[in-house]
Amino acid sequence: MRAPGESDLKIYGLFGYPLAHTVSPAMQDAALDFYGMKAIYFAFEKSAEKFQYLMKHLKSLQLEGFNVTVPFKEIVIPYLDRLDSMARKIGAVNTVKKQGKKWIGFNTDYQGFLEGLKKARFHAKGKNAVILGAGGASRAVCFGLAHAGIRRLTILDVIEKKAVDIVRSYRKFYPAVEWKVQPMKDEFLEPALKEADLLVNATPIGLHENDPLIVSKAFFPKKRILVYDLIYKPRETPLLKLAKKLGHSVVNGETMLVMQGAKAFEIWTNKKAPVEVMRKAMENALHHK
Ligand code: NAP
């Protein structure tokens, strides 16, 4: 029996800063409503200071589970009781679930990324990938590709140290992968792309209308490759437009976005995520707000 005043409403949420453009509440509420659950998902936009203050009081937090996004995916870790094995290897958490009195951290970003590859019918095993950017999203991408059996992974970033850090944290888990780090310069990009089967843009270049093209037309290889841009708005970045025009396969970041949310929903509720419902809610929130 519930104590007087105690509610059976289940509360989920997202912590990050800033959160003005997040579509997670739309996606997760749609999934909760699909099952008629007495539950709601909030976006909690909090500074790092407030977030850490709250995490110190995690035990008394009346949430069933929550997502964390930029810039809290690493900050959250010391406050959790346990990480699942993948989140531990990645060193970043985007989904937290309460199990009994314990808080467990997971990472569904890399799964979301892999679902995008699956949608494009790309099999990573034995292939060569070139990744542009070495920030948070790139970490999930590199882990996902190594986990899926990629043969060679070349990471290019303006700040090489970030790419070196990614390699340093993953090489021990995936020693069979040929890890390469190069500066983001034409003289390195062109030869790397000549041998690539997959190009991933994990930089924000392409988000804004006047952004330059991140890869020159002349650098695209003759053979057909998959070009995967993690950006989901606009739906087609200049990079994807050009790649398509040149006859390459393309995939944008929408599937990654919806599937990281779907996997989180499944972790929290043990129910199959209504992916198409979540995708429609995401599209509405992204493009018809
Ligand atoms: P981030 O942490 O800022 O990382 C971006 C990285 O790219 C930084 O290391 C940045 O270097 C580097 N960079 C910037 N311009 C570059 C260039 N011209 N060449 C090579 N590297 C360059 O951002 P993030 O959180 O990883 O996000 C990256 C992109 O992925 C964003 O567009 C985001 O919208 C998208 N994303 C999509 C999903 C999804 O679900 N589809 C999820 C997460 C992120 P500096 O630090 O020096 O600028």
Side-chain angles (χ1 to χ4, degrees):
M1 226 166 72
R2 274 191 300 279
E6 199 180 307
S7 164
D8 57 354
L9 177 73
K10 290 186 173 12
I11 301 175
Y12 300 90
L14 166 68
F15 292 97
Y17 192 90
L19 284 182
H21 302 290
T22 181
V23 299
S24 291
M27 277 197 309
Q28 298 295 351
D29 275 346
L32 295 166
D33 292 349
F34 175 83
Y35 280 108
M37 289 174 66
K38 197 170 169 192
I40 192 160
Y41 182 103
F42 288 97
F44 300 106
E45 190 176 49
K46 291 287 165 206
S47 66
E49 196 187 19
K50 285 279 180 213
F51 176 69
Q52 282 170 284
Y53 176 70
L54 195 69
M55 288 300 109
K56 279 185 193 143
H57 298 90
L58 197 52
K59 294 283 177 220
S60 58
L61 209 62
Q62 297 298 312
L63 291 179
E64 300 300 312
F66 57 93
N67 285 129
V68 278
T69 187
V70 181
F72 303 142
K73 290 184 183 184
E74 292 167 19
I75 295 176
V76 71
I77 291 174
Y79 300 101
L80 304 177
D81 295 298
R82 188 164 65 76
L83 299 189
D84 102 311
S85 64
M86 295 304 189
R88 195 173 330 117
K89 283 181 183 166
I90 297 170
V93 161
N94 78 320
T95 300
V96 179
K97 176 183 178 149
K98 184 150 74 178
Q99 268 174 5
K101 288 199 165 115
K102 304 249 188 251
W103 290 93
I104 320 293
F106 300 84
N107 188 303
T108 68
D109 286 330
Y110 85 94
Q111 293 173 301
F113 170 74
L114 289 180
E115 291 290 331
L117 284 188
K118 209 195 264 178
K119 185 171 179 240
R121 301 206 165 93
F122 182 88
H123 301 285
K125 211 168 175 54
K127 303 275 175 52
N128 291 340
V130 171
I131 319 298
L132 309 178
S138 176
R139 269 196 167 262
V141 168
C142 292
F143 181 83
L145 287 172
H147 190 66
I150 202 89
R151 186 169 71 82
R152 183 190 299 155
L153 228 163
T154 307
I155 313 169
L156 296 98
D157 196 289
V158 273
I159 305 174
E160 271 179 87
K161 183 181 175 308
K162 287 189 180 182
V164 169
D165 285 347
I166 293 182
V167 174
R168 199 168 285 151
S169 43
Y170 294 156
R171 204 201 296 266
K172 54 183 177 291
F173 301 121
Y174 300 103
V177 175
E178 192 186 322
W179 298 91
K180 285 179 88 170
V181 167
Q182 294 191 317
M184 183 62 190
K185 290 197 178 132
D186 288 355
E187 71 236 55
F188 297 103
L189 182 56
E190 188 178 12
L193 276 179
K194 285 240 147 46
E195 297 184 355
D197 304 293
L198 169 69
L199 166 66
V200 181
N201 177 31
T203 79
I205 309 289
L207 270 178
H208 303 109
E209 217 171 298
N210 296 323
D211 278 352
L213 194 60
I214 194 164
V215 177
S216 314
K217 186 176 170 187
F219 292 177
F220 278 89
K222 295 261 177 306
K223 68 169 179 181
R224 190 181 161 102
I225 64 167
L226 175 65
V227 181
Y228 191 152
D229 200 322
L230 302 195
I231 291 172
Y232 43 81
K233 191 177 181 178
R235 273 185 149 155
E236 210 170 56
T237 58
L239 175 71
L240 291 193
K241 272 196 189 120
L242 174 63
K244 214 159 120 183
K245 211 166 128 196
L246 295 173
H248 298 290
S249 307
V250 296
V251 60
N252 71 10
E254 284 181 330
T255 296
M256 175 170 176
L257 180 62
V258 74
M259 291 311 294
Q260 61 75 32
K263 302 283 178 193
F265 178 86
E266 290 178 352
I267 287 172
W268 293 325
T269 63
N270 295 319
K271 294 182 196 303
K272 192 166 164 36
V275 172
E276 283 318 305
V277 169
M278 295 178 84
R279 189 184 289 276
K280 281 221 171 66
M282 170 197 72
E283 282 171 0
N284 256 337
L286 275 179
H287 304 292
H288 308 292
K289 241 182 192 170

